Amino acid sequence: MSPPGERQSPYLVPGGRSVTPLNSPLEVGMRALVLLAESHPRPLDLAQLVALDYLVLHSGEFDGPRSLHPDLPAREGELGRKRELLEQGLLVLIRAGLADIVSSNEGGLMYAATETGPTFIEVLEAPYVASLRERAEWALHHYASPAHARSVTHQIINRAATGSASEGAGHG
């Protein structure tokens, strides 16, 4: 175990590749499972999950609960990487039997928690998971529709383009 304040070293995975648990497919997948469990049985598409995951982490920027993650410069850049990590995280959830792919009426793919997914989240007792659930419920209540997801994504991209994201929003 690393001494307090020292950065944790990455873990080696098969093939000699190293990964860190922070912002890994597993972490992002767990956040997606919280969102899918809160929306259960209603499925969500990948664009919705990307926007909702950003909202859960940076809820203070959208007049929601205090943000879980710090308001770092260029945080809007998370969107580009988040989609890939979410896809990988969703595969982890599907392999574990916690989520499934479902087809939508529009012909696209959507993701839904299995019956096991919400139960799995219920048994997790960490305070961080409780905070995630609270913010996921808030985000789904205010921004769950595909139109809201597009609107949020455009807001985030416009903030990045204009540099108008307020520093320190939601951290007080």
Side-chain angles (χ1 to χ4, degrees):
M1 183 159 198
S2 302
E6 186 177 305
R7 186 163 184 238
Q8 223 178 0
S9 62
Y11 297 98
L12 291 178
V13 295
R17 231 182 52 211
S18 67
V19 294
T20 58
L22 184 62
N23 286 323
S24 68
L26 180 60
E27 179 193 359
V28 176
M30 287 305 298
R31 291 197 311 258
L33 182 58
V34 169
L35 286 162
L36 293 172
E38 291 296 326
S39 74
H40 186 73
R42 186 181 68 221
L44 300 169
D45 67 24
L46 192 57
Q48 287 174 289
L49 284 167
V50 168
L52 290 166
D53 186 57
Y54 185 94
L55 284 164
V56 164
L57 298 178
H58 303 289
S59 50
E61 292 179 29
F62 295 87
D63 297 324
R66 186 171 179 253
S67 294
L68 281 175
H69 287 194
D71 291 336
L72 300 173
R75 64 192 166 277
E76 294 84 3
E78 292 176 23
L79 290 180
R81 181 85 172 108
K82 191 175 296 286
R83 184 178 180 92
E84 178 185 346
L85 286 171
L86 264 166
E87 287 174 327
Q88 293 171 5
L90 288 163
L91 287 175
V92 170
L93 297 176
I94 291 164
R95 286 185 192 127
L98 299 171
D100 261 329
I101 297 174
V102 295
S103 61
S104 73
N105 294 337
E106 293 81 36
L109 296 179
M110 299 187 83
Y111 300 89
T114 62
E115 293 300 319
T116 310
T119 305
F120 181 80
I121 294 298
E122 285 290 325
V123 300
L124 300 176
E125 296 180 3
Y128 184 75
V129 175
S131 295
L132 282 174
R133 292 182 69 195
E134 172 192 344
R135 283 150 183 85
E137 184 180 335
W138 167 82
L140 285 160
H141 178 74
H142 290 90
Y143 301 98
S145 76
H148 282 125
R150 284 190 297 277
S151 173
V152 167
T153 302
H154 288 293
Q155 284 180 41
I156 295 165
I157 291 168
N158 287 339
R159 286 180 186 185
T162 62
S164 64
S166 59
E167 297 302 317
H171 288 284

